Amino acid sequence: MLRTVFAVFRFFFYLMVRQGKQREFFRLQAAGKTGECDRLLAPMVREWAQYVVRLTGKKTQVQVTGQENLPQNRAVLFVANHQSNLDIPVLLGYVEKPMAFVAKKELLRIPFLSGWMKLMQCVFLDRKNIRQSVKDMEEAVEKIKDGYSLLIFPEGHRSKGAAHGQFKAGSFKLAFKAGVPVVPVSIDGTWRLLEGSGRLHSANVRVTIHPPVETEGLSKEGQRQLVSAVEQTVFASLPAPEAAALPES
């Protein structure tokens, strides 16, 4: 437990000493230099996301396959299964395409972190206010249209293990309304880093990036079929829960 507390302290200290850089990025945005801000921000986000993953232990390894499937020069909606709170640092740190993500509004209260999330163009969803949540999702669509790729977890919650929940079709509306491809992503092993015991552990993590699926021009039936197909693609690359529960060799 002390190791986990120390890791959290190190992470926030890491962000705190970079507050000057964060203020510099906000000045660039305020001056209308959004492109320059995005270009300089991407490697820094990648750096601190990898730092978070390294805090789990020296033996942690992240293997990513399918980077060649990432569309270039266009925004996408990343759709992934959700095993752990560490899914986001893993994807931000090791997938070779900048992305923001749809987050709970409560994360705005977290000091140092929320500012970086705003710079990344994350969308903060108010789940307790239906009318506001609709506006939040409309904002997310506009961000994708502006060229920012977004990550969403259609299960709606962490599985905290190898098991998984059903994808919620509503999550895909972002892609349908923005007319961008969906990129399915399979995440295997992040639950071992943290969720298995509530404490940080080293583990092997495997991320599989699948070929993009186009969404433009689909009928309602086509959209339903896409949701089902993407869900099957994501989960087909994961081991069966009973196999995943076995210790890694």
Side-chain angles (χ1 to χ4, degrees):
M1 182 60 71
L2 285 177
R3 175 186 170 189
T4 303
V5 173
F6 183 59
V8 172
F9 172 80
R10 288 177 62 187
F11 170 59
F12 279 100
F13 181 77
Y14 180 94
L15 294 181
M16 184 177 68
V17 298
R18 285 160 177 76
Q19 284 298 96
K21 200 67 177 177
Q22 185 183 106
R23 288 192 290 270
E24 180 182 329
F25 287 140
F26 275 118
R27 285 194 292 270
L28 285 173
Q29 282 193 349
K33 299 179 180 180
T34 305
E36 181 180 355
C37 178
D38 294 341
R39 180 176 57 81
L40 296 173
L41 178 66
M44 180 160 284
V45 169
R46 185 176 177 86
E47 176 188 292
W48 66 249
Q50 291 183 0
Y51 178 77
V52 171
V53 176
R54 289 198 301 271
L55 289 175
T56 64
K58 294 181 179 180
K59 294 183 178 180
T60 293
Q61 298 290 327
V62 179
Q63 177 187 7
V64 182
T65 58
Q67 300 274 19
E68 69 278 3
N69 291 322
L70 294 170
Q72 301 299 314
N73 303 316
R74 64 186 302 199
V76 304
L77 180 69
F78 288 99
V79 171
N81 60 303
H82 197 13
Q83 292 188 345
S84 166
N85 278 326
L86 291 176
D87 291 338
I88 289 175
V90 164
L91 296 182
L92 291 179
Y94 296 91
V95 173
E96 296 173 358
K97 187 176 181 68
M99 69 183 78
F101 54 94
V102 178
K104 296 183 294 185
K105 182 182 178 181
E106 288 75 11
L107 292 182
L108 281 168
R109 303 172 186 167
I110 300 180
F112 308 121
L113 179 62
S114 58
W116 290 107
M117 292 173 67
K118 291 176 182 178
L119 286 168
M120 292 163 57
Q121 305 298 322
C122 292
V123 176
F124 298 91
L125 186 63
D126 187 349
R127 297 183 178 181
K128 298 179 181 179
N129 186 327
I130 296 178
R131 181 174 296 179
Q132 183 58 46
S133 66
V134 171
K135 293 181 179 180
D136 296 334
M137 296 307 281
E138 290 174 350
E139 178 189 353
V141 171
E142 291 306 311
K143 287 186 182 294
I144 298 177
K145 288 181 177 179
D146 287 340
Y148 295 100
S149 295
L150 284 183
L151 162 69
I152 198 163
F153 300 109
E155 289 170 278
H157 55 79
R158 289 169 287 139
S159 62
K160 300 184 181 182
H164 51 76
Q166 186 175 7
F167 277 8
K168 295 178 173 61
S171 303
F172 290 75
K173 288 182 180 180
L174 290 176
F176 299 148
K177 290 182 177 181
V180 298
V182 168
V183 175
V185 179
S186 304
I187 305 172
D188 176 33
T190 51
W191 65 275
R192 290 193 179 95
L193 298 175
L194 176 64
E195 303 295 346
S197 64
R199 293 182 291 180
L200 292 175
H201 293 278
S202 297
N204 291 328
V205 175
R206 301 171 184 85
V207 176
T208 305
I209 304 169
H210 303 279
V213 182
E214 295 292 342
T215 64
E216 276 192 295
L218 291 178
S219 64
K220 292 294 184 182
E221 179 58 29
Q223 291 177 2
R224 285 192 289 269
Q225 291 176 359
L226 182 144
V227 173
S228 178
V230 169
E231 181 175 12
Q232 290 177 26
T233 296
V234 170
F235 294 142
S237 294
L238 302 177
E242 57 271 17
L246 297 175
E248 293 186 346
S249 57

